[in-house]
Amino acid sequence: MAKVVKKSVVPIYAVAVVWLIFGLFLPLYRPLHYAAAAGASLAVFLIAKAIWPDRSFETPETAKDSDPQAEVPPKAEEKKAPSTGNPELDALIQDRDRAVSEMRRLNDAIEDPTLSAQIDHLEEITKKIISYVVEHPQKLSQIRKFMNYYLPTTLKLLNAYDRMGSAGVSGTNIDGTMGKIETMMDTVTKAFDKQLDALFGDEALDISTDITVMENLLAQEGLTGEQLRSES
């Protein structure tokens, strides 16, 4: 609680009245007259102060008074992806977010339109690869090398390209290395596509098996297109 004192204004008004009376009805042209007015003012002030004293009361402290740090707005909580309940998948999602963020940064920094389009494609394929594995955790082992080598090495190459392009000079080392990276990115893009395609291998095999079984059953029942046409 904070103590607040509210001073009474009545004694001040009383003193003003004393001087008003002296000014209107009593002489004020000698030092003695002013001394008498001052004495009367002091007496009236003390009497009024006793009759109408200052009042004090307590109020709750404001947040600003009680906590000096209250003015500082709380930090916004960092957005985190919801947990999957699987530590490996949670780590995979975090790696994806970091990789995608780095790709976007590099894409903004690299001016080459062909390479920029390739980075856009790599970002999209990376998200699809990891999303598929999150939905099919049994595929996690299938992308170990992709996550541990191919993806970080690709980011390393793109970072080198960005640094050399920002050097602002042309030379054998810079031009030669940047040219090799540009050529390599065609291969990298195809490799990312094949990695995503490989994840569907088991599913494609299952579908192929289902199609073969259905074709055989339809043939046995005489429900294939050719047999129906020959019977009609």
Side-chain angles (χ1 to χ4, degrees), residues 142-158:
Q142 195 170 335
I143 64 167
R144 295 288 187 195
K145 186 174 289 186
F146 173 80
M147 294 301 300
N148 295 334
Y149 180 75
Y150 296 123
L151 182 58
T153 303
T154 299
L155 294 174
K156 180 180 178 181
L157 294 176
L158 291 173

Side-chain angles (χ1 to χ4, degrees), residues 114-126:
T114 301
L115 198 56
S116 178
Q118 290 173 329
I119 295 174
D120 282 335
H121 183 74
L122 292 176
E123 177 187 335
E124 189 65 25
I125 296 301
T126 298

Side-chain angles (χ1 to χ4, degrees), residues 7-18 40-54:
K7 293 185 177 182
S8 175
V9 297
V10 175
I12 298 175
Y13 290 150
V15 171
V17 170
V18 170
S41 298
L42 178 60
V44 169
F45 179 85
L46 293 176
I47 294 172
K49 193 75 173 179
I51 299 175
W52 294 281
D54 296 339

Side-chain angles (χ1 to χ4, degrees), residues 18-174:
V18 170
W19 283 93
L20 179 63
I21 293 174
F22 266 84
L24 293 176
F25 305 105
L26 299 173
L28 277 176
Y29 50 87
R30 292 182 180 179
L32 183 60
H33 297 160
Y34 284 97
S41 298
L42 178 60
V44 169
F45 179 85
L46 293 176
I47 294 172
K49 193 75 173 179
I51 299 175
W52 294 281
D54 296 339
R55 292 183 299 168
S56 63
F57 52 92
E58 293 183 343
T59 60
E61 290 183 346
T62 61
K64 179 178 178 181
D65 295 332
S66 59
D67 185 3
Q69 297 181 349
E71 297 180 357
V72 181
K75 288 184 178 180
E77 295 184 0
E78 295 181 0
K79 293 183 179 179
K80 295 182 179 179
S83 174
T84 63
N86 185 326
E88 287 188 290
L89 294 181
D90 291 342
L92 182 65
I93 292 172
Q94 291 178 358
D95 290 341
R96 175 203 64 190
D97 293 342
R98 283 193 290 266
V100 168
S101 177
E102 182 66 1
M103 286 183 186
R104 291 176 179 172
R105 185 192 70 79
L106 290 165
N107 205 352
D108 292 338
I110 295 173
E111 298 180 357
D112 183 87
T114 301
L115 198 56
S116 178
Q118 290 173 329
I119 295 174
D120 282 335
H121 183 74
L122 292 176
E123 177 187 335
E124 189 65 25
I125 296 301
T126 298
K127 290 191 291 187
K128 288 182 178 180
I129 289 172
I130 296 177
S131 294
Y132 187 88
V133 174
V134 170
E135 295 175 2
H136 305 82
Q138 68 275 15
K139 297 283 187 177
L140 189 58
S141 61
Q142 195 170 335
I143 64 167
R144 295 288 187 195
K145 186 174 289 186
F146 173 80
M147 294 301 300
N148 295 334
Y149 180 75
Y150 296 123
L151 182 58
T153 303
T154 299
L155 294 174
K156 180 180 178 181
L157 294 176
L158 291 173
N159 268 289
Y161 188 96
D162 178 37
R163 289 194 303 272
M164 292 183 180
S166 301
V169 297
S170 179
T172 302
N173 292 325
I174 291 178

Side-chain angles (χ1 to χ4, degrees), residues 173-193:
N173 292 325
I174 291 178
D175 294 344
T177 302
M178 292 179 69
K180 289 179 181 179
I181 293 174
E182 290 172 357
T183 302
M184 185 62 188
M185 289 308 297
D186 291 330
T187 304
V188 170
T189 302
K190 294 175 182 177
F192 274 49
D193 291 345

